[in-house]
Amino acid sequence: MLVHFDSHGGGPALLFIPGLGAEVACWDLQIPGLAREFQVVRVDPRGAGRSPAPPGPYSLDQMADDVVEVLDHLQIRSAVVVGHSMGGGVAQSLASRYPERVAGLVLVATACCLEARALQVLQSWSEWLDQGLSRQAF
């Protein structure tokens, strides 16, 4: 399943993965400066933004596989991967499962694992979105 992505500029690849409920637009401010020197690729994780939303739940490993599919589609061998929050979890899965595809890793406000309470909070956020809470209200 090819998720939505966009690509700007040229040069070494930087790949941006947003957090839960976010989409490529969350990286808009980074594009103008970075695209002068790099190929900046942004992905909407499955179920977010303009990416397909197959029946869930989704795992970080599935989302990492989606990122590899984007890299393959763009014929990018490896990229510096920037992941925010949940996107950082996807980036860590990508780095551990496909180390040859990750030239570097930038982790922003993320963790390597979540405690039970954090998982409960994330589950409630997901349920709110599933029940129709607008992304703007979220």
Side-chain angles (χ1 to χ4, degrees), residues 2 16 21 89 93 103 105 111 115 124-125:
L2 189 61
F16 287 81
S93 173
L105 200 54
E115 296 176 4
S124 68
W125 291 354

Side-chain angles (χ1 to χ4, degrees), residues 27-49:
W27 304 107
D28 282 351
L29 296 176
Q30 284 71 35
I31 297 297
L34 293 174
R36 288 191 292 260
E37 308 257 341
F38 301 96
Q39 178 181 4
V40 179
V41 178
R42 308 179 300 173
V43 298
D44 281 341
R46 60 173 58 204

Side-chain angles (χ1 to χ4, degrees), residues 3 45 48 82 105 118:
V3 294
V82 180
L105 200 54

Side-chain angles (χ1 to χ4, degrees), residues 22-131:
E23 56 189 79
V24 297
C26 75
W27 304 107
D28 282 351
L29 296 176
Q30 284 71 35
I31 297 297
L34 293 174
R36 288 191 292 260
E37 308 257 341
F38 301 96
Q39 178 181 4
V40 179
V41 178
R42 308 179 300 173
V43 298
D44 281 341
R46 60 173 58 204
R50 290 178 274 179
S51 285
Y58 313 136
S59 72
L60 297 177
D61 288 347
Q62 285 175 310
M63 289 187 256
D65 292 342
D66 294 341
V67 169
V68 169
E69 189 172 1
V70 169
L71 292 174
D72 288 346
H73 181 80
L74 294 172
Q75 299 180 344
I76 296 172
R77 291 187 96 159
S78 69
V80 171
V81 180
V82 180
H84 172 252
S85 192
M86 179 203 72
V90 175
Q92 291 173 75
S93 173
L94 181 67
S96 69
R97 295 174 62 237
Y98 302 97
E100 71 283 0
R101 304 307 294 265
V102 179
L105 200 54
V106 179
L107 302 174
V108 182
T110 192
C112 63
C113 61
L114 296 175
E115 296 176 4
R117 177 67 182 134
L119 289 171
Q120 289 173 332
V121 169
L122 292 175
Q123 181 63 36
S124 68
W125 291 354
S126 177
E127 289 169 4
W128 293 343
L129 291 170
D130 289 344
Q131 293 169 5

